[in-house]
Amino acid sequence: MLNGFYKKMNVKALVTCFLVLTFSCSQSVARVSPNLVISQDDIPLMQSAIKEPGSFAKAYLETKASVDEQISQTIKVPVPKDGGGGPTHERHKKNYLLMYNAGVIYQLSEDKKYANYVRDMLLEYAKLYPTLDVHPKRKLNKQNPGKLFWQSLNEAMWLVHTIQAYDLILDSLSADEIATIESKLLKPVSLFLSEGQPSTFNKVHNHGTWAAAGVGMAGYVLNEPEYVEKALLDLEKSGKGGFLRQLDELFSPEGYYNEGPYYQRFALLPFITFAKAIQNNQPERKIFEHRNGIIIKAIDTTIQLSYNKLFYPINDAIKSKGIDTIELVNGVTVAYGFTQDTGLLDIAKQQGQIILTGDGLKVANALDANLATPYKFKSVAFGDGANGKQGALVIMRQESRGEQALLFKPAAQGLGHGHFDKLTWQFYDNGAEIVSDYGAARFLNVEAKFGGRYLPENDSYAKQTVAHNTVVVDEKSHFLGDVEVGNANHPELLFFENNAQGSVSSAQIDTAYKGVNLLRTLALVKLPEIDKPLAFDIFEVTSEEVHQLDLPVHYHGHFIDSNFTMAGFGNNLKALGNNNGYQHLWLTGQATPKAGIAQITWLNDNGRFYTQSSLVDGSTDALFTRVGANDPNFNLRNESGFIYRKNAVKNHRFVSVLEPHGEYNPSKEYTLSANPKVSNLSFEQVNNISLVTVQLKNGAQYLLAINNNTSEKSTFKYQQVEYKFNGRFNLFKLPSQK
Amino acid sequence: MLNGFYKKMNVKALVTCFLVLTFSCSQSVARVSPNLVISQDDIPLMQSAIKEPGSFAKAYLETKASVDEQISQTIKVPVPKDGGGGPTHERHKKNYLLMYNAGVIYQLSEDKKYANYVRDMLLEYAKLYPTLDVHPKRKLNKQNPGKLFWQSLNEAMWLVHTIQAYDLILDSLSADEIATIESKLLKPVSLFLSEGQPSTFNKVHNHGTWAAAGVGMAGYVLNEPEYVEKALLDLEKSGKGGFLRQLDELFSPEGYYNEGPYYQRFALLPFITFAKAIQNNQPERKIFEHRNGIIIKAIDTTIQLSYNKLFYPINDAIKSKGIDTIELVNGVTVAYGFTQDTGLLDIAKQQGQIILTGDGLKVANALDANLATPYKFKSVAFGDGANGKQGALVIMRQESRGEQALLFKPAAQGLGHGHFDKLTWQFYDNGAEIVSDYGAARFLNVEAKFGGRYLPENDSYAKQTVAHNTVVVDEKSHFLGDVEVGNANHPELLFFENNAQGSVSSAQIDTAYKGVNLLRTLALVKLPEIDKPLAFDIFEVTSEEVHQLDLPVHYHGHFIDSNFTMAGFGNNLKALGNNNGYQHLWLTGQATPKAGIAQITWLNDNGRFYTQSSLVDGSTDALFTRVGANDPNFNLRNESGFIYRKNAVKNHRFVSVLEPHGEYNPSKEYTLSANPKVSNLSFEQVNNISLVTVQLKNGAQYLLAINNNTSEKSTFKYQQVEYKFNGRFNLFKLPSQK
């Protein structure tokens, strides 16, 4: 056990021969311990930090108290029996977190009892593991099974944590202990997760990343350079799979992850963990510079994809997940360690959690020294797909009496967790979701709610097109609800532009429905006379055949008023339709507003009013809905919406403007501007230029001109006057009208 | 103008002759100015405080900035035209607040422009007022009209503020100006509000208090001691009405105001304002000691009637009103000035507003010096009615991993804003309302929602018995919904007791329904094995005839599970009934749980689960409801509930236990104890002792014994074992059962 021998030697004494050894082993990765996410160099700094008051010492004491409490109990390494959420599943999850934390506390406190605890648990695992076949609760034909866990994903997460725990206590182990733990446990697990499941290990997919991270880090610790190579390049070392390929393909060039921010946050952890371990072991690989710094970009993009601390809930997303999730805490920590970008400290401050690593210490010290500067949220189109050309996720922001954000989603399907919501949008204002996305239908880990898994209503409602704010043709979902077709087709981002007046973006897709083209242009633009920006929406449907077109707006708030007679259904409610999500919508009211401008106002809990003004032709129906029909177990949240429906047309253009206004303050007993300022809208197409005119109650008129063809110079005539502008769009003030 | 002459003299020079004058004028109230809420003594302290940094100076600068902005505009004193919420109404409201604030800024800054602004506005009013008849929008047969406002209540509020503004600028006025303002405006308004409307002025009612406060303070300033006497004793100086009588009758001995905390908060302002003015002008009246310090008690009780900063929303209450309302800010300020109770500073800190008065300065200084100590919320039965014997409002509290509060309402009807909810209850935990009260159906000042007034659904739903958590007999409301009958009858508080284990209270009423007695006992008790207390509910109905009995539970949260098969109605909803509020409830599901224990679990947004366990007999129906039927304008909030219904019985006892449990944390991806610990219940009556047995999942058993007869020693036998206890109730641990 030469390897074990060196590991046990005093580090300082090792330096000289170490250099020699590295040289003589050529390919082999010689090392000291610990040296994965936490390196040997970090230890003395961390040890001295815990002796001084400060955020780092506080985090240390908290973790130590939690570890102390847990290691006072008997070690439990049960024979695997239960699926996700069950007792043995949860026990093994707790065990790997506990081993990791105890390993950290050992290094910092230098108290051997922590190392011994980890050792004893590892030896228990080393006894159990060789006796195990694949997990009894494995899911056939779905995912590769684990042995400790029902799915190999959990087994890889176990290895990612356990190999670090092992690395942290290595210097405390005897040669025999090392031999037992490595030969009976760590190598078998590593082999099981690599050679044992090529389909997952070689896959360019988040599950592959977890396996690569676990196996690759094991390679460094167990002195198995082949493990590392395979983790980086795939089992055949072909480069067709493996970690580097995953970095090349799973993120777009801007660092956007195909499945959306909820999964991006989850996917982040193995990337940053393994990358940090690579950086510490093989700095010459310059892993953080790979693909123009894609890892740091991915971390930053995850932050950008949040509003008021919560992630935009597109696709299958639990809506309460946000920037304080542990994965992003780790991400911000590693990113700050690498970049020293003080804007990241702003996020770290909001996260309020300090990681016990070398980078964590840097964050703690910087926060204690008040070095944080405001993090800058930007308006940006994040290209989707490995090449960034498979559509985009567009975020427009403005900061005007409470931040506004408009999300526009001409993004790709995003695999199995993707929703059929091409070109959908959402609107946020003053801290709250205003035009909303249902997110996932799921009560995470609540056994009574379908075992805590995705509810049946996730498929039957939440994923369906009508659950989103985009056009539904003939009451059918995009791609007829087929994920594979969805994954094979994506919208095209036509343009995105941002200037001092605001942002505009346009995209289209002709594959969501056969023979139908959907073209949407959204803009967030501030009018000088209105203190909050307006959201413009132009949705153009063109088709060969006659169709029914529905454009829903799901909103958060209480209905206040409409400028047309709306009669809610009194004592008998029926479902709006029979399938594709329509069966889950109660039809609560109905109207056919007369031609002109139809306005619907609601009041959000944030105390602001919102009015959606739509250009209608007198034969467009307004249907009012509430979620919750055909939901015998009360699984769905009863949220409100309205749908503009146009029947039997080949082509139609929906034009609307959303206006945030006023304030409802019952506590202080005042209500301001409960009525919108927008009083009329018109639309005109002059060659390639779309013209939306907004008239305000005081007579003022504005014209938003959008050039759909070019961002070069534009010239157009409107009411006999010639106008000129540069770029994609411009807002003009027109002469007032009364 | 002798009066004006003295007012304009320097205060210090005045002292000697002043004493003489007081003596010689006997009854007359000689004075310096200002001397209402703000006294001449306060001024130098306040003047020097604004020169130092601190909370007081900050509040001064904010108010000054607001006043500066407003006085830069032209004075507008429009001819009265609009009703509540309309432009002239709002203008006159703004004017009196502005005059008051400008007066304060004048005293503090000594800048005469502020006094001149107030003077100019007063002169405008003095021009307008003599030309006015009663208001064109007066409400016939409802309330006395004002001249500036549609109702005299607003006119009295105008006078309360304006007389203070006048007092603050008096020393800047010429004798002519004084003569004009007093003779054309202040005296006429005072006479109009007193002699001009005896029915309001003499009434022992909140509207009378506003009139008394305005007229009485005018008496001090205008040197009209008769005004003061009439304000204190009524127009005939009989003592049958007037301020003193109002203090004696409008609050219970514990300081509870008949209409509930929402209106108590509103009623407070004229009491504390006038009391402070009396204290400054006639300290010999010892007004703050009147009726054992009823004013301070009323202020303190208003605070006690809040949970997590919001008032308990019983009766017609806007739910977002809480301790930061300006009336209670004034109340806490005056109470602190009088008592120096540092617990009040805790509330002042949460209010975050500093009043620019002498007492406000004391609060600001104390807060700046960090003198605040935690305010103590208590478990207490607030007697209702002038004698405290017309029932009670009972609050039980516990502090166990997030504060719990149980409100029990065997209170009197509470006049026109009272709800038909005798013996109803509410439960609060961890900052949130769990078993809820709808409050008022109203969007305050939102014109589109029925002019911002109480909505029709306030009568048709919110006030009705079924909208509350108490028994409804034969789908009719208490007192058949007749306010006068309700005001003439009230429940009887049988007992309330509080000890280390918790609190218990019992009350009954036999007038809510003819021939039916309703008896309810509620308890909030902590079991050693459950970390949060349980809420016990025993509701006993006895009657001569056969009836249908409904006991609703309106809850806030998402339905999770029931331990019986509940089939929600899929694609067709109907209203539960036809009137008395039932027409506004959708029947969303129905079941008849088998005999034993029926459990319903929901999840609140606070991340906790709540399970209501009810003892059922196999012939009790469970009806699931959602608010919103027959609501064509979407005026109601769509809240959830369930109703246990017992058909065709003369007598029935509903027994249940509410258990808070577990934690749902999707952000950190864990769910703890989503299932209740309570697994069974039983009930037995042994003589006068009610016995509720609670069995837990782990086999542990507890017995809650409540003596309905006496708080002396109790002895009873349960399963052959003899038990003894003192007081009204005791929790016993029984031998475990498995």
Side-chain angles (χ1 to χ4, degrees):
Chain A
M1 289 305 295
L2 187 70
N3 180 28
F5 173 72
Y6 282 112
K7 280 174 184 158
K8 290 193 66 198
M9 283 178 66
N10 176 289
V11 187
K12 280 170 193 155
L14 201 66
V15 175
T16 333
C17 63
F18 193 55
L19 287 168
V20 177
L21 240 189
T22 314
F23 209 71
S24 67
C25 299
S26 88
Q27 282 291 43
S28 135
V29 187
R31 64 192 308 280
V32 289
S33 134
N35 198 33
L36 290 173
V37 172
I38 299 175
S39 77
Q40 188 61 260
D41 291 347
D42 295 330
I43 300 296
L45 300 171
M46 290 162 73
Q47 284 175 346
S48 81
I50 63 171
K51 293 177 187 110
E52 304 292 327
S55 311
F56 194 80
K58 191 161 160 278
Y60 165 75
L61 291 174
E62 281 165 10
T63 304
K64 183 166 175 298
S66 155
V67 168
D68 285 341
E69 199 254 316
Q70 291 179 80
I71 69 172
S72 69
Q73 290 156 29
T74 330
I75 288 175
K76 286 183 203 125
V77 177
V79 174
K81 195 166 57 100
D82 307 308
T88 69
H89 179 94
E90 291 302 315
R91 184 72 255 165
H92 290 297
K93 273 174 72 177
K94 276 191 190 129
N95 281 352
Y96 68 63
L97 286 169
L98 177 54
M99 285 193 283
Y100 174 78
N101 282 324
V104 172
I105 301 300
Y106 163 63
Q107 283 290 343
L108 298 192
S109 67
E110 298 181 279
D111 183 340
K112 230 188 142 191
K113 79 172 175 196
Y114 298 101
N116 292 346
Y117 183 86
V118 177
R119 174 198 65 198
D120 293 348
M121 189 178 275
L122 287 170
L123 289 170
E124 286 295 316
Y125 272 107
K127 253 187 264 172
L128 175 69
Y129 202 76
T131 70
L132 298 178
D133 198 354
V134 286
H135 196 280
K137 283 279 168 64
R138 64 191 174 276
K139 297 194 266 182
L140 289 173
N141 300 325
K142 275 206 131 176
Q143 215 184 87
N144 280 313
K147 289 182 167 184
L148 295 167
F149 296 92
W150 66 336
Q151 49 184 21
S152 75
L153 172 62
N154 297 107
E155 199 110 331
M157 293 168 87
W158 181 93
L159 182 59
V160 164
H161 288 83
T162 304
I163 195 64
Q164 293 185 76
Y166 178 70
D167 187 36
L168 288 161
I169 65 149
L170 238 186
D171 65 12
S172 76
L173 297 178
S174 73
D176 279 358
E177 288 159 355
I178 288 174
T180 306
I181 294 168
E182 295 195 353
S183 67
K184 306 276 187 194
L185 182 65
L186 298 174
K187 286 187 182 177
V189 174
S190 300
L191 290 171
F192 175 73
L193 289 173
S194 51
E195 314 288 346
Q197 55 157 7
S199 64
T200 294
F201 189 79
N202 285 347
K203 201 173 179 180
V204 181
H205 180 279
N206 174 246
H207 293 182
T209 312
W210 278 102
V215 172
M217 292 200 297
Y220 287 126
V221 180
L222 308 179
N223 206 6
E224 294 280 359
E226 280 292 291
Y227 287 14
V228 177
E229 290 299 303
K230 287 175 178 172
L232 291 170
L233 298 168
D234 85 8
L235 286 174
E236 294 73 37
K237 298 190 268 184
S238 75
K240 287 178 194 156
F243 190 71
L244 296 177
R245 186 63 162 220
Q246 286 156 0
L247 280 175
D248 291 342
E249 290 198 5
L250 290 181
F251 296 101
S252 78
E254 288 93 353
Y256 176 68
Y257 184 77
N258 192 253
E259 298 183 76
Y262 176 76
Y263 279 93
Q264 170 147 356
R265 169 271 322 165
F266 177 71
L268 221 48
L269 196 54
F271 279 110
I272 54 184
T273 304
F274 191 25
K276 185 73 194 176
I278 295 170
Q279 177 74 8
N280 279 338
N281 283 277
Q282 300 183 291
E284 67 279 9
R285 286 198 184 269
K286 301 193 172 173
I287 193 73
F288 283 108
E289 283 150 61
H290 185 82
R291 204 185 167 201
N292 298 317
I294 191 69
I295 293 168
I296 302 297
K297 274 187 194 167
I299 295 167
D300 189 62
T301 295
T302 314
I303 302 169
Q304 290 286 346
L305 294 178
S306 68
Y307 178 88
N308 193 15
K309 303 185 192 174
L310 296 179
F311 295 127
Y312 293 110
I314 54 169
N315 296 333
D316 281 347
I318 302 281
K319 297 185 90 164
S320 46
K321 283 274 186 191
I323 58 166
D324 65 345
T325 45
I326 191 65
E327 298 89 348
L328 194 55
V329 176
N330 275 285
V332 167
T333 301
V334 166
Y336 178 74
F338 188 75
T339 63
Q340 321 280 306
D341 173 353
T342 51
L344 291 169
L345 296 172
D346 183 6
I347 303 300
K349 199 157 83 180
Q350 295 177 56
Q351 292 173 330
Q353 296 165 73
I354 296 296
I355 301 289
L356 296 177
T357 60
D359 288 335
L361 176 58
K362 288 182 193 163
V363 169
N365 288 341
L367 285 178
D368 290 350
N370 283 317
L371 299 183
T373 56
Y375 178 85
K376 285 211 177 66
F377 285 97
K378 293 172 288 197
S379 293
V380 48
F382 296 99
D384 199 351
N387 60 2
K389 306 280 185 207
Q390 297 179 33
L393 186 72
V394 180
I395 311 289
M396 310 181 188
R397 302 201 186 236
Q398 288 230 355
E399 186 73 57
S400 184
R401 299 190 61 201
E403 189 196 20
Q404 289 80 32
L406 190 161
L407 174 147
F408 178 31
K409 192 181 179 237
Q413 183 68 18
L415 311 179
H417 290 297
H419 285 196
F420 300 98
D421 61 353
K422 303 309 102 180
L423 313 188
T424 189
W425 73 301
Q426 282 183 261
F427 185 72
Y428 291 79
D429 180 36
N430 204 20
E433 197 177 356
I434 307 303
V435 173
S436 59
D437 190 297
Y438 192 89
R442 183 179 189 186
F443 290 86
L444 194 73
N445 295 341
V446 178
E447 188 61 30
K449 286 297 193 196
F450 209 65
R453 301 186 297 279
Y454 287 105
L455 292 159
E457 290 78 10
N458 192 55
D459 281 330
S460 64
Y461 180 69
K463 280 189 173 178
Q464 300 296 325
T465 305
V466 75
H468 301 86
N469 309 300
T470 185
V471 162
V472 192
V473 174
D474 297 333
E475 301 188 26
K476 296 192 172 74
S477 283
H478 295 167
F479 311 117
L480 301 177
D482 187 318
V483 183
E484 287 187 27
V485 179
N487 284 331
N489 294 281
H490 59 80
E492 178 191 3
L493 177 71
L494 299 170
F495 57 86
F496 166 76
E497 195 174 282
N498 185 32
N499 67 29
Q501 292 179 324
S503 310
V504 68
S505 181
S506 185
Q508 68 180 357
I509 183 166
D510 62 3
T511 50
Y513 295 103
K514 214 183 136 189
V516 180
N517 190 61
L518 307 176
L519 167 65
R520 190 173 214 168
T521 305
L522 283 157
L524 185 68
V525 175
K526 173 123 175 41
L527 273 58
E529 277 170 272
I530 300 189
D531 60 4
K532 282 148 287 211
L534 302 183
F536 291 78
D537 181 16
I538 308 164
F539 202 132
E540 224 165 319
V541 186
T542 46
S543 61
E544 296 141 18
E545 310 287 333
V546 156
H547 296 287
Q548 172 189 295
L549 307 178
D550 285 353
L551 180 52
V553 174
H554 299 274
Y555 65 89
H556 278 189
H558 197 116
F559 174 89
I560 293 295
D561 201 14
S562 56
N563 74 339
F564 51 90
T565 308
M566 184 284 300
F569 295 133
N571 50 14
N572 196 345
L573 286 193
K574 289 200 162 41
L576 179 61
N578 297 316
N579 37 43
N580 304 320
Y582 282 76
Q583 75 275 26
H584 290 299
L585 292 169
W586 293 115
L587 177 62
T588 58
Q590 194 164 4
T592 309
K594 65 179 207 295
I597 184 175
Q599 296 188 304
I600 294 171
T601 300
W602 65 94
L603 170 62
N604 186 273
D605 280 345
N606 71 2
R608 236 172 233 179
F609 297 91
Y610 297 88
T611 296
Q612 206 249 18
S613 302
S614 292
L615 209 50
V616 287
D617 54 10
S619 63
T620 302
D621 296 328
L623 311 173
F624 292 82
T625 62
R626 195 166 311 127
V627 178
N630 285 296
D631 176 23
N633 301 314
F634 302 162
N635 284 341
L636 291 166
R637 300 189 306 270
N638 306 130
E639 300 183 348
S640 303
F642 53 87
I643 296 176
Y644 280 109
R645 171 171 290 180
K646 185 70 191 165
N647 267 305
V649 282
K650 290 188 177 178
N651 307 314
H652 188 69
R653 184 189 289 116
F654 295 93
V655 177
S656 72
V657 162
L658 179 70
E659 174 189 352
H661 55 93
E663 182 179 353
Y664 179 61
N665 194 329
S667 166
K668 302 236 178 293
E669 290 198 4
Y670 63 82
T671 298
L672 305 173
S673 305
N675 297 313
K677 286 209 168 70
V678 171
S679 65
N680 215 345
L681 289 179
S682 67
F683 181 90
E684 207 174 300
Q685 188 75 30
V686 179
N687 302 320
N688 295 310
I689 301 174
S690 301
L691 302 173
V692 186
T693 317
V694 178
Q695 189 177 323
L696 306 184
K697 281 229 177 71
N698 66 0
Q701 281 199 110
Y702 288 88
L703 175 66
L704 178 67
I706 302 172
N707 190 326
N708 300 292
N709 238 27
T710 169
S711 57
E712 301 300 305
K713 282 184 181 163
S714 301
T715 309
F716 66 94
K717 267 199 170 173
Y718 179 77
Q719 295 180 338
Q720 280 82 54
V721 182
E722 193 174 85
Y723 296 89
K724 288 181 187 183
F725 67 101
N726 286 318
R728 282 291 184 173
F729 72 105
N730 198 65
L731 182 77
F732 297 94
K733 174 141 196 178
L734 300 180
S736 280
Q737 246 186 5
K738 259 294 188 194
Chain B
M1 288 306 295
L2 186 70
N3 179 28
F5 173 73
Y6 281 112
K7 280 174 186 158
K8 290 193 68 198
M9 281 178 66
N10 177 289
V11 186
K12 281 169 195 156
L14 201 67
V15 176
T16 333
C17 63
F18 193 54
L19 285 168
V20 177
L21 239 189
T22 312
F23 209 70
S24 68
C25 298
S26 87
Q27 282 293 40
S28 134
V29 189
R31 64 192 310 279
V32 289
S33 134
N35 198 33
L36 290 173
V37 171
I38 298 173
S39 77
Q40 186 63 258
D41 290 346
D42 295 329
I43 300 295
L45 299 171
M46 291 162 72
Q47 284 176 346
S48 80
I50 61 171
K51 290 174 189 114
E52 305 292 326
S55 312
F56 194 81
K58 192 162 159 277
Y60 166 74
L61 291 174
E62 281 165 11
T63 304
K64 183 168 175 296
S66 155
V67 168
D68 284 342
E69 199 254 314
Q70 290 178 79
I71 69 172
S72 69
Q73 291 155 30
T74 329
I75 289 174
K76 286 181 202 124
V77 177
V79 174
K81 193 168 61 102
D82 307 307
T88 69
H89 179 94
E90 292 301 316
R91 184 71 255 163
H92 290 297
K93 274 173 72 177
K94 276 192 191 127
N95 281 352
Y96 67 65
L97 287 170
L98 176 55
M99 283 194 284
Y100 175 78
N101 284 323
V104 172
I105 301 300
Y106 163 63
Q107 283 291 342
L108 298 192
S109 68
E110 299 179 279
D111 182 340
K112 229 185 145 194
K113 81 172 171 194
Y114 298 101
N116 292 346
Y117 183 87
V118 177
R119 175 199 64 198
D120 293 347
M121 190 178 276
L122 286 169
L123 290 170
E124 286 296 316
Y125 272 107
K127 252 186 264 171
L128 174 70
Y129 201 78
T131 71
L132 298 179
D133 198 352
V134 287
H135 196 279
K137 283 279 167 65
R138 64 190 173 276
K139 297 194 266 183
L140 287 174
N141 300 325
K142 274 203 133 178
Q143 214 184 91
N144 279 313
K147 289 183 167 182
L148 295 167
F149 296 92
W150 66 336
Q151 50 186 20
S152 76
L153 172 62
N154 298 106
E155 199 109 333
M157 294 168 86
W158 182 93
L159 181 59
V160 164
H161 288 84
T162 304
I163 194 66
Q164 292 184 76
Y166 177 69
D167 187 35
L168 288 161
I169 65 149
L170 238 185
D171 65 12
S172 76
L173 297 178
S174 72
D176 278 358
E177 288 159 355
I178 288 174
T180 306
I181 294 167
E182 295 195 355
S183 67
K184 307 274 186 194
L185 180 65
L186 297 174
K187 288 187 182 178
V189 174
S190 302
L191 290 170
F192 175 73
L193 289 173
S194 51
E195 316 286 346
Q197 54 158 7
S199 63
T200 293
F201 189 77
N202 285 348
K203 200 174 181 181
V204 182
H205 179 281
N206 173 248
H207 293 182
T209 313
W210 278 102
V215 173
M217 293 200 297
Y220 287 127
V221 180
L222 308 180
N223 206 7
E224 293 281 0
E226 279 293 291
Y227 286 13
V228 178
E229 290 298 305
K230 288 177 178 172
L232 290 170
L233 298 168
D234 84 9
L235 286 174
E236 293 72 37
K237 295 191 271 182
S238 75
K240 286 180 197 158
F243 190 71
L244 296 177
R245 187 62 162 220
Q246 287 155 1
L247 280 175
D248 291 342
E249 290 196 7
L250 291 181
F251 295 101
S252 80
E254 288 92 353
Y256 176 69
Y257 185 77
N258 193 253
E259 297 182 77
Y262 176 77
Y263 278 93
Q264 171 144 358
R265 170 270 325 164
F266 177 72
L268 222 48
L269 196 53
F271 279 109
I272 55 185
T273 304
F274 190 25
K276 185 72 195 176
I278 295 169
Q279 176 73 9
N280 279 338
N281 283 278
Q282 300 182 291
E284 67 279 10
R285 287 196 183 270
K286 300 193 173 173
I287 193 74
F288 282 107
E289 283 149 65
H290 186 82
R291 204 183 167 204
N292 298 315
I294 192 68
I295 293 168
I296 302 296
K297 274 186 196 167
I299 295 167
D300 188 62
T301 295
T302 314
I303 302 169
Q304 290 287 344
L305 294 178
S306 67
Y307 178 88
N308 193 15
K309 303 186 192 173
L310 295 180
F311 295 128
Y312 293 111
I314 54 169
N315 296 334
D316 281 348
I318 301 283
K319 296 185 89 165
S320 46
K321 283 274 185 191
I323 58 167
D324 65 344
T325 43
I326 191 65
E327 297 90 346
L328 194 55
V329 175
N330 276 285
V332 167
T333 302
V334 167
Y336 179 75
F338 189 74
T339 64
Q340 320 279 306
D341 173 352
T342 51
L344 291 169
L345 297 173
D346 182 6
I347 303 300
K349 201 157 83 180
Q350 295 176 57
Q351 290 173 330
Q353 295 166 72
I354 296 295
I355 301 289
L356 296 177
T357 61
D359 289 334
L361 176 58
K362 288 181 193 164
V363 169
N365 288 341
L367 285 178
D368 289 350
N370 283 314
L371 298 184
T373 56
Y375 178 84
K376 284 209 179 65
F377 285 97
K378 293 172 289 195
S379 292
V380 48
F382 296 98
D384 198 353
N387 61 1
K389 306 280 186 207
Q390 297 180 33
L393 186 72
V394 180
I395 310 290
M396 311 181 189
R397 300 200 187 236
Q398 287 230 355
E399 186 71 58
S400 185
R401 298 190 59 201
E403 190 195 18
Q404 289 80 34
L406 190 162
L407 174 146
F408 178 31
K409 193 181 178 235
Q413 183 68 19
L415 310 180
H417 290 297
H419 286 196
F420 300 99
D421 62 352
K422 301 310 104 180
L423 312 189
T424 191
W425 74 301
Q426 281 183 261
F427 185 73
Y428 291 80
D429 181 36
N430 204 21
E433 197 177 357
I434 306 303
V435 173
S436 59
D437 191 296
Y438 192 89
R442 183 180 189 185
F443 290 86
L444 194 74
N445 296 340
V446 178
E447 188 62 31
K449 287 297 193 195
F450 208 66
R453 301 187 297 280
Y454 287 105
L455 291 159
E457 290 78 10
N458 192 54
D459 281 329
S460 64
Y461 180 70
K463 279 189 173 178
Q464 300 296 325
T465 306
V466 76
H468 301 85
N469 308 298
T470 186
V471 162
V472 192
V473 174
D474 297 334
E475 301 189 25
K476 296 192 169 75
S477 283
H478 296 166
F479 311 118
L480 301 179
D482 187 316
V483 183
E484 288 188 26
V485 180
N487 284 331
N489 294 279
H490 60 80
E492 178 191 2
L493 177 70
L494 298 171
F495 57 86
F496 166 75
E497 196 175 281
N498 184 33
N499 68 27
Q501 293 179 325
S503 310
V504 68
S505 181
S506 185
Q508 68 179 358
I509 183 165
D510 63 3
T511 50
Y513 296 104
K514 213 184 138 190
V516 180
N517 191 62
L518 307 176
L519 168 64
R520 191 173 215 171
T521 305
L522 283 158
L524 185 67
V525 175
K526 172 123 175 40
L527 273 55
E529 279 171 89
I530 300 190
D531 62 2
K532 281 149 286 213
L534 302 183
F536 291 77
D537 181 16
I538 307 165
F539 204 130
E540 225 165 317
V541 186
T542 47
S543 62
E544 295 142 17
E545 310 286 334
V546 155
H547 295 288
Q548 173 190 294
L549 308 178
D550 285 353
L551 180 53
V553 174
H554 298 274
Y555 65 88
H556 277 189
H558 196 117
F559 173 88
I560 292 294
D561 201 13
S562 55
N563 74 339
F564 52 88
T565 308
M566 185 283 300
F569 296 132
N571 51 15
N572 196 345
L573 286 191
K574 289 202 161 41
L576 179 60
N578 297 315
N579 38 41
N580 303 320
Y582 281 76
Q583 74 276 24
H584 290 301
L585 292 170
W586 294 115
L587 178 61
T588 59
Q590 194 164 4
T592 310
K594 65 179 204 298
I597 184 175
Q599 297 189 303
I600 293 171
T601 301
W602 66 91
L603 170 63
N604 186 273
D605 280 345
N606 71 2
R608 231 170 239 180
F609 297 92
Y610 297 88
T611 296
Q612 207 251 15
S613 301
S614 291
L615 208 50
V616 288
D617 55 10
S619 63
T620 303
D621 297 328
L623 310 172
F624 292 82
T625 60
R626 196 166 309 127
V627 179
N630 284 297
D631 176 23
N633 300 316
F634 301 162
N635 283 343
L636 291 166
R637 301 189 305 270
N638 307 130
E639 299 183 351
S640 303
F642 53 89
I643 297 176
Y644 280 110
R645 170 172 290 180
K646 186 69 191 163
N647 266 304
V649 283
K650 289 188 175 176
N651 306 314
H652 187 69
R653 184 189 288 116
F654 295 93
V655 176
S656 71
V657 162
L658 179 70
E659 175 190 351
H661 56 94
E663 183 180 354
Y664 179 61
N665 194 328
S667 166
K668 302 236 177 295
E669 291 200 3
Y670 64 81
T671 298
L672 304 173
S673 304
N675 298 313
K677 285 209 169 68
V678 172
S679 64
N680 214 344
L681 289 179
S682 68
F683 181 89
E684 209 174 295
Q685 187 76 30
V686 179
N687 301 320
N688 295 310
I689 301 175
S690 301
L691 302 173
V692 186
T693 317
V694 178
Q695 191 176 322
L696 307 184
K697 280 229 176 72
N698 65 1
Q701 282 199 107
Y702 288 89
L703 175 65
L704 179 68
I706 301 171
N707 191 325
N708 299 293
N709 237 26
T710 170
S711 57
E712 300 302 306
K713 280 183 186 166
S714 300
T715 310
F716 67 93
K717 267 197 171 175
Y718 180 77
Q719 294 180 339
Q720 278 80 52
V721 182
E722 195 175 87
Y723 295 88
K724 290 181 184 181
F725 67 101
N726 286 319
R728 282 291 184 174
F729 72 107
N730 198 66
L731 182 77
F732 298 95
K733 173 141 197 179
L734 299 181
S736 281
Q737 245 185 8
K738 256 295 185 196

